[in-house]
Amino acid sequence: MNQAKPTKQERYSYSSMPAGLVSRVREVQHLYRMWQDGTIQQVGFTIEAVRQCEKRIKEAFGRELEGLDILDVGPGQQLKHMKVLSVKNRVTGIDMDIVPQGFDLREYVAMLRYNSVLRTAKTLTRKVLGWDELFEKTLARDLSVSGFRRLPVFRMDAKQMSFSDASFDVVCSWSAYEHIAQPRASLQEVTRVLRPGGVAYIAVHLYTSHTGSHDPRTYTNGGRDLPYWPHLRPAHRDAVKPNCYVNEIRMDEWKRMFEETMPGVRFVYERQDELAPALRELREKGELAGYSDDELLTVGLIGMWQKPHRS
């Protein structure tokens, strides 16, 4: 695999969303509550997500995720899924933010240059309070490894990757594509950098789900700190405070995009059927008529695709 080369990029970040001081303070409070829900639970969610990925790829395409070159698009500041995958594979990540590993001063200087102030502050807070260290130690313990080596993570635009054609056996992503302004171009890049027979596993957090606005309050207290689907209901829309850019693409458009860039793609739907009673109540009041039950109750849409082998 060729080394990635720097490319000219737009200044974009997951957290590049304007907001006032009060909104940011409120967001920090809710993020802290999320951390209070427990590191063990977060570690469990991370491992389970990767194990599901491994199982689904094995069942659909007969491929074991071991000894492979894997690209993670948008791994986030804790490199959660990358670390799990790195136990048995060679894993590379790309992100539009600088992702510091440890306390390298150069990386923190770069964060101030490229990342939003909020993103930098959140990362520093987690590290100073020891949250990242605790998460990593708990993750290593649950995976029965002594620790994780430093992983290659490049600041790179997902829709204009610097990797050579056919560089990876697997390209995966968890909850990153809803933050990409031109996701179709990125999906095309995924098909380019995959090797023949390689597999894409792209999980999208749907905008039309209850938590799709990315207001942190929808993640805490069972999601009851805001009314259900507030961003889709005119009476509550102004109360929603997203903490990041979201492209607002709906499920049918995502499916068309996948099918056009990855012919033969298979879909997995991760649903929140426990919200069905609440949805029925809103339907009886005449709300959310412009949305199907499927898109409102589906929180995650996963596109799985295998690049054709050479003929």
Side-chain angles (χ1 to χ4, degrees), residues 26-35 122 216 243:
R26 186 182 297 116
E27 177 190 348
V28 169
Q29 291 172 336
H30 283 277
L31 290 172
Y32 179 71
R33 286 172 60 183
M34 287 172 63
W35 274 97
K122 286 162 65 175
N243 69 344

Side-chain angles (χ1 to χ4, degrees), residues 185-203:
S186 178
L187 292 176
Q188 291 170 338
E189 279 290 88
V190 170
T191 68
R192 181 184 68 80
V193 301
L194 272 175
R195 292 169 180 154
V199 173
Y201 184 93
I202 309 296

